[in-house]
Amino acid sequence: MEGVPVITILYFAWLRDRLGRSSESMPLPEGAWYVGDVIRTLAERDGDYRLVFGPQGGAIRCAVNQEFAGPDDGVREGDEVAFFPPVTGG
Amino acid sequence: MEGVPVITILYFAWLRDRLGRSSESMPLPEGAWYVGDVIRTLAERDGDYRLVFGPQGGAIRCAVNQEFAGPDDGVREGDEVAFFPPVTGG
Amino acid sequence: MTIRVSVQTAAFSMDAERARLMQGAHEAGGVGAFLGVVRGGAGLRALTLEHYPGMTESMIGRIAAEAQARFGLLGCTIIHRVGRLGVGEPIVLVLCLAAHRAAALDATAFVMDWLKTRAPFWKREEFEDGRTAWVDAREADDAAAARWARDGRAG
Amino acid sequence: MTIRVSVQTAAFSMDAERARLMQGAHEAGGVGAFLGVVRGGAGLRALTLEHYPGMTESMIGRIAAEAQARFGLLGCTIIHRVGRLGVGEPIVLVLCLAAHRAAALDATAFVMDWLKTRAPFWKREEFEDGRTAWVDAREADDAAAARWARDGRAG
């Protein structure tokens, strides 16, 4: 995999429980790449990914490099992209 | 003094300092009697009383039997009538 | 609903008062609190707080009961110290226990505003140079208390 | 201005945090506070709090700095626990130090409203019968946070 640009994806709370993992690497295709592209790529996978990231999934929030981000925010090599439910702290 | 109806008067904060006492008894004349009458009676005394209760005195509050009261509130035998500056707790 | 009112010279512990207030209140979601201290500046060394024993406790008890009714509190603790207190020392502690945070914090503000205008305490300032002076009531405190009468938030 | 942020599993002491916050702040008039606890009911036994390490601390630090700027705070302490917490146990402590009570209490409400909507924590409920369920975000919390954007009180 050396030389292939990747991003790190993190999952929290029920997303992590459902997907059975807390993080993974994803190779980044050439060209401009956005949070929305990452979500579409994950939704095209089988099984739980489609349930979580597809149109039937619950409310999901995203952060890129620990800043809240939306579908139109860019993603670059080495970025940390986190997906999680709306927060419930306090 | 037995048989003469009296009220107890209490002074707090700068009123007590100025008058040099924290309490005193005052005989109650016959007939209806109000807080305003007590203030006028005190203001007619000499010296510090006139300064405290007269028109040149500072802001004063009153309580009758530990309830805030105004000049038109009644005063009866045995009542505890307190005079003090506006409160500054908290 | 537990109301605890104390007028005392001794210091108090927020932790101990919080534990006492919450005892058995499993439906509680949080405690709103305010701790007032002697503010320094202008050469102030200490305050001496005086009060009207009996009337103080009765007025504070009523303020707590009013807060309970308006904000649906599960409990309310109000501790007010008297005597001589140096700069930085705690004067007053208000704790309001409620199911939700908005009620707890609004009730705390309500109690403080009314304490400032209805509870018979008086403060005498003592300065570094030995001078002493009674503190004047602030008109801002009357205004703060009055807003609860016209405020749509409650009653 | 002292900002202290901590995300921890350990319990905390309001008295110790209050003393630490006020150290040397002689111009302080009071501390506004909120302590959030695990609310019982409906067979709840405990909550488990999870967070996003790194982002949590950074978001809480920003919320504290924003409160400091809006309300002129002299100091702000925000402690949020994570891990498993039983009914009645403290989850979060917010302390806001200011010259006057209104700023201290308004800042406390502001911090809590933003914590609920911006800090990446998630709660999983655990019931007496062994069932567990992730807590859904409340729309009321978004509304509470949004009011600070249109509110005339600050900024």
Side-chain angles (χ1 to χ4, degrees):
Chain A
M1 297 284 287
E2 205 178 334
V4 177
V6 297
I7 56 172
T8 300
I9 305 187
L10 305 181
Y11 304 109
F12 291 98
W14 66 257
L15 279 77
R16 183 203 50 235
D17 290 354
R18 176 62 70 94
L19 300 173
R21 64 183 59 185
S22 57
S23 71
E24 64 183 297
S25 283
M26 179 189 272
L28 212 56
E30 275 188 50
W33 198 245
Y34 298 91
V35 167
D37 300 320
V38 177
I39 293 173
R40 270 185 294 278
T41 303
L42 294 168
E44 283 163 9
R45 293 186 184 172
D46 282 343
D48 287 326
Y49 280 94
R50 186 179 310 162
L51 287 172
V52 168
F53 288 99
Q56 312 305 321
I60 292 181
R61 298 287 180 270
C62 177
V64 174
N65 298 329
Q66 308 193 354
E67 297 278 349
F68 282 105
D72 299 335
D73 284 305
V75 173
R76 291 195 295 188
E77 179 176 2
D79 279 356
E80 178 177 290
V81 180
F83 293 105
F84 43 77
V87 306
T88 59
Chain B
M1 295 284 287
E2 208 180 328
V4 178
V6 297
I7 57 173
T8 301
I9 305 188
L10 304 181
Y11 304 108
F12 291 98
W14 66 257
L15 278 77
R16 183 202 52 234
D17 290 354
R18 176 63 69 93
L19 299 174
R21 63 182 62 184
S22 57
S23 71
E24 64 183 297
S25 283
M26 179 187 274
L28 212 57
E30 276 188 51
W33 197 246
Y34 298 91
V35 167
D37 299 319
V38 176
I39 294 173
R40 269 186 294 279
T41 302
L42 293 167
E44 282 163 9
R45 294 185 182 172
D46 281 345
D48 287 324
Y49 280 94
R50 186 180 309 162
L51 287 172
V52 169
F53 289 99
Q56 313 303 323
I60 292 180
R61 297 288 179 270
C62 177
V64 175
N65 297 330
Q66 307 191 355
E67 298 278 348
F68 282 105
D72 299 335
D73 284 304
V75 172
R76 291 194 294 189
E77 180 176 1
D79 279 355
E80 179 177 289
V81 179
F83 293 105
F84 45 76
V87 305
T88 58
Chain C
M1 170 66 186
T2 315
I3 290 181
R4 169 161 145 73
V5 170
S6 176
V7 179
Q8 61 187 49
T9 54
F12 47 74
S13 157
M14 291 179 85
D15 289 319
E17 294 299 335
R18 198 274 298 170
R20 182 172 177 162
L21 177 65
M22 282 191 57
Q23 209 157 32
H26 297 307
E27 68 279 46
V31 181
F34 183 79
L35 178 89
V37 303
V38 178
R39 185 171 48 243
L44 188 78
R45 183 160 57 190
L47 291 180
T48 298
L49 279 112
E50 171 181 332
H51 75 123
Y52 182 171
M55 182 172 173
T56 320
E57 291 82 353
S58 126
M59 292 305 296
I60 297 178
R62 271 194 246 172
I63 292 165
E66 171 79 10
Q68 189 273 326
R70 275 187 176 234
F71 301 97
L73 298 184
L74 302 167
C76 182
T77 295
I78 304 176
I79 301 179
H80 204 300
R81 294 175 74 191
V82 292
R84 187 174 182 279
L85 301 170
V87 167
E89 276 196 77
I91 301 173
V92 61
L93 175 67
V94 173
L95 299 178
C96 294
L97 185 69
H100 298 282
R101 71 186 184 283
L105 285 169
D106 285 350
T108 303
F110 173 88
V111 167
M112 282 305 304
D113 287 349
W114 282 110
L115 265 186
K116 290 264 180 188
T117 55
R118 303 294 290 174
F121 291 99
W122 302 277
K123 289 179 182 140
R124 197 178 64 225
E125 294 175 320
E126 175 188 328
F127 297 93
E128 300 289 358
D129 60 9
R131 224 169 10 103
T132 67
W134 289 97
V135 175
D136 276 335
R138 293 175 64 227
E139 283 174 25
D141 287 331
D142 284 328
R147 82 189 158 98
W148 296 103
R150 41 166 216 274
D151 196 321
R153 273 196 264 184
Chain D
M1 171 64 183
T2 316
I3 289 181
R4 168 162 147 71
V5 169
S6 176
V7 178
Q8 61 187 49
T9 54
F12 46 74
S13 156
M14 293 178 83
D15 289 318
E17 294 299 336
R18 198 275 298 172
R20 182 171 177 163
L21 178 66
M22 282 190 56
Q23 211 157 32
H26 296 308
E27 69 278 43
V31 181
F34 183 79
L35 177 89
V37 302
V38 178
R39 184 171 49 242
L44 188 78
R45 182 160 58 191
L47 291 180
T48 298
L49 278 114
E50 172 180 332
H51 75 123
Y52 182 172
M55 182 172 174
T56 320
E57 291 81 353
S58 126
M59 292 305 295
I60 297 178
R62 272 195 246 172
I63 291 164
E66 171 79 10
Q68 189 273 328
R70 275 189 176 231
F71 300 98
L73 297 184
L74 302 168
C76 182
T77 294
I78 304 177
I79 301 179
H80 204 300
R81 294 173 74 190
V82 291
R84 186 174 183 279
L85 301 170
V87 167
E89 275 196 78
I91 300 173
V92 59
L93 176 67
V94 173
L95 298 178
C96 293
L97 186 69
H100 298 282
R101 72 186 184 282
L105 285 170
D106 285 351
T108 303
F110 173 89
V111 167
M112 282 304 306
D113 287 348
W114 283 111
L115 264 187
K116 290 264 180 188
T117 55
R118 304 293 291 174
F121 291 100
W122 303 278
K123 289 178 183 142
R124 196 178 65 226
E125 294 175 319
E126 175 189 328
F127 297 93
E128 299 290 356
D129 59 10
R131 223 170 10 104
T132 67
W134 290 97
V135 175
D136 276 336
R138 292 175 65 227
E139 284 175 26
D141 288 331
D142 284 328
R147 81 188 159 97
W148 295 103
R150 42 168 214 273
D151 196 323
R153 274 195 264 186

